[in-house]
Amino acid sequence: MDKCNLHTILRLPTGIFYAQGVKTNVLFFTRGEKDKGNTKEVWVYDLRANMPQYGKRTQLAREHFAEFEAAFGDDPLVGAKVLAKRKDTGEQGRFRKFTREQIAARGDSLDIAWLKDDSDTSADELPEPAVLAQEAMGELEAALDELRGILEELGEEVEEVEA
């Protein structure tokens, strides 16, 4: 945040790139004009709270980003004019501005959240145990295939594991 102007953070739903619980953020920044103190404020868009769980069955698609794109603005370089036009949606909205001082008070943590997540998954919404077991087996088999490929690339003999 010193050498660059970190102007926007997009908080993505967990689990879209790896597994549930893995947090992903997209950072938007431009080159700073000085060596230090380039970030004055950071806009955070929370696409994580109160969203469905994404994965193989429910995929994150372009239409999920429409509100973010409108809030972000048309200028990909995000100049001062674009930042001045942005509207802070307050504690109940998805798009908020945080000053550098507010972030420093959080210990420079960029894991900024303010929305209460009401999308708590109940046991009624979970897939059947057999479906979960099949998905886990598929992921484990894919991991084994990757490990076999690594061993082959290293010229090692691959021993077959019996089930």
Side-chain angles (χ1 to χ4, degrees):
M1 290 193 301
D2 272 339
K3 293 188 181 212
C4 295
N5 177 18
L6 172 63
H7 53 78
T8 311
I9 297 174
L10 171 59
R11 291 170 46 91
L12 293 176
T14 62
I16 60 170
F17 290 115
Y18 187 63
Q20 286 302 326
V22 176
K23 296 177 181 179
T24 305
N25 296 303
V26 179
L27 306 179
F28 296 85
F29 56 91
T30 56
R31 172 180 268 174
E33 296 176 8
K34 310 173 277 188
D35 285 343
K36 288 191 170 199
N38 287 291
T39 300
K40 303 290 185 220
E41 61 188 33
V42 178
W43 286 83
V44 181
Y45 191 92
D46 190 341
L47 195 58
R48 189 176 300 162
N50 301 317
M51 295 295 285
Q53 289 191 357
Y54 296 99
K56 290 181 183 177
R57 287 186 297 277
T58 307
Q59 295 189 353
L60 186 64
R62 170 114 193 199
E63 59 265 16
H64 295 113
F65 294 97
E67 286 182 31
F68 169 72
E69 289 175 359
F72 185 89
D74 294 334
D75 181 4
L77 299 177
V78 188
K81 289 181 183 178
V82 171
L83 290 174
K85 289 181 185 177
R86 288 184 172 177
K87 302 282 186 243
D88 190 317
T89 57
E91 291 197 22
Q92 301 305 313
R94 292 196 180 277
F95 204 38
R96 297 207 46 209
K97 176 176 69 173
F98 295 87
T99 65
R100 183 68 183 92
E101 291 77 22
Q102 289 172 309
I103 295 168
R106 298 169 157 270
D108 275 341
S109 172
L110 294 176
D111 189 16
I112 301 171
W114 63 93
L115 290 174
K116 182 179 182 306
D117 195 349
D118 299 325
S119 62
D120 206 7
T121 304
S122 71
D124 297 343
E125 299 173 26
L126 291 175
E128 293 295 318
V131 172
L132 291 172
Q134 288 290 342
E135 286 181 3
M137 286 176 55
E139 289 182 26
L140 288 171
E141 288 171 0
L144 284 171
D145 287 342
E146 286 184 40
L147 290 170
R148 285 185 192 101
I150 292 169
L151 286 172
E152 287 175 4
E153 283 182 32
L154 294 171
E156 298 290 324
E157 189 173 314
V158 179
E159 296 178 24
E160 289 300 317
V161 178
E162 291 185 32

